[in-house]
Amino acid sequence: MNDQQIPAVAVYGAGGHTGKFVVAELRRRAIPVVAVGRDASRLPAGVPGREAAIDDPVALDRAFAGCAVVVNCAGPFLDTAAPVVEAALRAGCSYLDVTAEQASAQATFQAYDGPARAAGVAVIPAAGFYGGLADLLASALAGAEPVERISTAVALDRWWPTEGTRRTGERNRVPRVVVEDGRLVPMGLPAASIDWRFDAPHGAQTVVEMPFSEIVTLSRHLRVRSLRSYLSASALADVRDADTPAPSASDALGRSEQRFAMEVVVAGPAGTRRAVARGQDIYAVSAPLIAEAVVRLLDPAYPRSGALALGEAFDARDFLRALTPTHLATAFDPV
């Protein structure tokens, strides 16, 4: 399939930190890209660029015209998701975003499942590191069977937050939720701390209950009685420290030196099983997750429509295999 036969993909927020990684990964896969943003001067060179403010539906319609998929990398998603999804649906496009914000993912699921089905397209929020990766790992372990408990834990050797992460933290004051007795409920305060033994090089760490959008994506399609998420206490301290610098490039791909490990433990009738994903730079790794989803959505044989979680939209094990070992190191073990 040559470039002329592949539909274009619009990346909204293409001038931002994560957006640039997404544009680069799509181009690496020879997928035509339209870079869209609120400020044309910040858009990456080498691809068609279109300017569209988030509160200008006419400009958004122009920006997404002729595209097949819209990828939203512009947070805070509490402010951007709805107008970008609606413009994508008007253009007949599928939609993906990389939100870590629980309330944004939940609102997208609730508001756009019916409209997406009617339009015959897929709307997939939280398809990046937070939300999407844990969803794939848990889906690969749990399958369609009900499970008693899912726990996810993330270790970061450092968290250098981007400007967008800081803006989102200031904007997102919605109480966090977890799953208890099969229902979404507010997380108890103060946040619980537990000890978690990660594989090397992260090792044993104190982790703090810190649920992101994976709580919403997993509970959307997996039958689970209890669902909790944790983040290494040291990484949380980094992101809460106003003096922690933004990430800086350490390799030719623009990735920071940050190393991450994500572990998902599923306990149910089949026993207790663990999935692990390790890699470099939580912002950069969202790009191959998004690009792999785009490739599958562009397949004319793709059968699904509606508002979907990443592990619901695609075969989770096959999806993860496609990213291993180039972008992730993964393992699946009994505990």
Side-chain angles (χ1 to χ4, degrees):
M1 182 181 292
N2 59 44
D3 287 355
Q4 286 71 38
Q5 295 172 311
I6 303 175
V9 174
V11 179
Y12 191 75
H17 189 80
T18 300
K20 290 177 180 177
F21 282 120
V22 171
V23 169
E25 180 63 18
L26 291 170
R27 294 186 71 192
R28 188 186 70 80
R29 293 178 180 233
I31 296 172
V33 178
V34 176
V36 185
R38 290 168 277 198
D39 181 354
S41 68
R42 295 187 60 188
L43 296 177
V47 296
R50 300 172 184 172
E51 186 173 278
I54 197 64
D55 59 353
D56 188 342
V58 174
L60 289 171
D61 289 348
R62 284 198 301 265
F64 301 157
C67 296
V69 180
V70 172
V71 179
N72 184 6
C73 296
F77 294 90
L78 284 169
D79 299 324
T80 68
V84 177
V85 173
E86 289 168 9
L89 291 175
R90 290 194 299 270
C93 298
S94 288
Y95 169 92
L96 296 148
D97 71 34
V98 294
T99 185
E101 302 159 53
Q102 291 185 324
S104 173
Q106 194 168 12
T108 299
F109 281 132
Q110 291 173 346
Y112 298 111
D113 183 52
R117 289 178 188 275
V121 299
V123 168
I124 306 176
F129 176 81
Y130 287 114
L133 183 54
D135 193 273
L136 290 167
L137 294 169
S139 298
L141 290 176
E145 298 300 317
V147 294
E148 180 64 24
R149 184 183 73 256
I150 299 177
S151 300
T152 79
V154 172
L156 309 176
D157 54 4
R158 288 296 305 272
W159 189 348
W160 296 291
T162 64
E163 177 187 351
T165 294
R166 293 205 180 278
R167 283 201 311 269
T168 296
E170 294 168 1
R171 169 70 175 87
N172 183 19
R173 302 296 182 178
V174 181
R176 296 177 187 268
V177 296
V178 295
V179 173
E180 283 299 334
D181 295 322
R183 297 180 297 109
L184 287 169
V185 298
M187 183 187 81
L189 295 174
S193 296
I194 63 173
D195 295 326
W196 193 287
R197 185 171 294 278
F198 294 92
D199 294 335
H202 293 95
Q205 298 208 17
T206 299
V207 295
V208 180
E209 189 162 24
M210 184 56 55
F212 291 100
S213 50
E214 71 284 338
I215 297 290
V216 175
T217 63
L218 285 164
S219 63
R220 171 77 178 181
H221 67 109
L222 296 181
R223 291 178 288 171
V224 55
R225 183 173 179 82
S226 174
L227 175 55
R228 301 277 179 163
S229 293
Y230 301 89
L231 174 68
S232 53
S234 59
L236 186 59
D238 281 340
V239 81
R240 287 177 171 172
D241 185 348
D243 293 329
T244 302
S248 58
S250 68
D251 64 17
L253 298 177
R255 298 178 299 181
S256 73
E257 293 181 344
Q258 179 197 64
R259 298 287 173 169
F260 67 80
M262 178 180 288
E263 298 195 2
V264 176
V265 177
V266 172
T272 300
R273 292 156 292 163
R274 181 183 70 147
V276 181
R278 292 181 291 273
Q280 181 179 350
D281 193 327
I282 62 174
Y283 298 107
V285 81
S286 288
L289 286 162
I290 286 290
E292 185 62 29
V294 165
V295 168
R296 293 165 187 249
L297 288 173
L298 291 177
D299 185 341
Y302 180 71
R304 303 292 300 275
S305 63
L308 304 161
L310 198 63
E312 178 186 18
F314 309 106
D315 180 298
R317 284 188 181 263
D318 183 65
F319 196 107
L320 289 166
R321 278 195 295 268
L323 300 178
T324 306
T326 304
H327 304 289
L328 293 170
T330 59
F332 295 87
D333 309 305
V335 176

